[in-house]
Amino acid sequence: MSYPKVIQVEPTNRCNFDCIMCIRRSWSEVEFTDMNLDLYRKIVDESRGKITRLDLYGFGEPLCHPRFSDMVKYAREGLGSEVELLTVTNGSLLTPEVSEKIVRYGMNTIVFSIDTIDAHPTNIYLPEEKVNITIKIRNNSLRLQKALKIRYY
């Protein structure tokens, strides 16, 4: 039986945002929770030598998982340096410390998914309280791109 070259694992379906366009707003009977680490380890272990990329994201914000950096470290140690580790984040929890840690643990690619780059306070998609977060995300991503030489999208 063949095995997929890329697998996607959702570390959590929890999110720290409530974006107006997100499908999560329509979920009424969903339990928001983090992925069990034993299940995660089993997936990584069974994927060893079979995949070229592991995507760590889903409908939630991956960095809401309290052990996300440990998940990155386990994947890198278990899958080796040839496998690309990729995550998609809204960037709000990606502090310089968190960024440096997950990159040091082996994250190759960080993709930013944000509802808008228009940080004007009158933007209906970006309430005023998120204006500063958007600016912070942009500034952190630019700083980290230069300092860590990592691809950001």
Side-chain angles (χ1 to χ4, degrees):
M1 177 167 46
S2 65
Y3 202 87
K5 294 294 181 190
V6 177
I7 59 171
Q8 180 178 348
V9 173
E10 183 175 44
T12 184
N13 63 359
R14 295 183 304 116
C15 188
N16 60 324
F17 281 180
D18 188 26
C19 299
I20 195 168
M21 78 301 190
C22 186
I23 186 112
R24 297 173 79 254
R25 294 172 65 94
S26 67
W27 295 353
S28 59
E29 297 182 19
V30 173
E31 178 185 352
F32 294 103
T33 187
D34 299 327
M35 180 175 218
N36 175 287
L37 287 179
D38 290 332
L39 174 60
Y40 174 75
R41 288 183 192 109
K42 182 178 183 201
I43 293 168
V44 170
D45 293 346
E46 289 179 3
S47 302
R48 187 175 293 122
K50 299 174 184 170
I51 64 172
T52 59
R53 189 176 81 206
L54 173 62
D55 294 347
L56 295 173
Y57 71 94
F59 286 113
E61 167 55 42
L63 294 171
C64 283
H65 194 297
R67 305 277 309 270
F68 181 75
S69 60
D70 294 329
M71 295 172 87
V72 173
K73 185 176 184 180
Y74 189 84
R76 177 55 65 219
E77 290 172 352
L79 299 173
S81 61
E82 310 80 37
V83 173
E84 178 182 6
L85 300 181
L86 177 144
T87 194
V88 178
T89 176
N90 64 34
S92 65
L93 302 175
L94 199 63
T95 64
E97 295 79 21
V98 170
S99 300
E100 291 166 11
K101 187 174 190 177
I102 64 173
V103 170
R104 186 175 67 248
Y105 283 175
M107 181 63 65
N108 300 98
T109 305
I110 300 172
V111 179
F112 288 93
S113 176
I114 56 175
D115 48 4
T116 182
I117 59 170
D118 180 4
H120 193 275
T122 60
N123 184 329
I124 64 166
Y125 297 108
L126 190 66
E128 188 171 353
E129 66 269 12
K130 286 176 68 178
V131 169
N132 290 335
I133 292 172
T134 301
I135 293 168
K136 179 179 105 176
I137 292 167
R138 184 192 64 210
N139 291 341
N140 280 346
S141 67
L142 292 172
R143 182 193 67 78
L144 291 166
Q145 185 177 11
K146 290 176 185 174
L148 300 175
K149 297 178 182 156
I150 188 170
R151 295 180 299 187
Y152 282 87
Y153 300 98

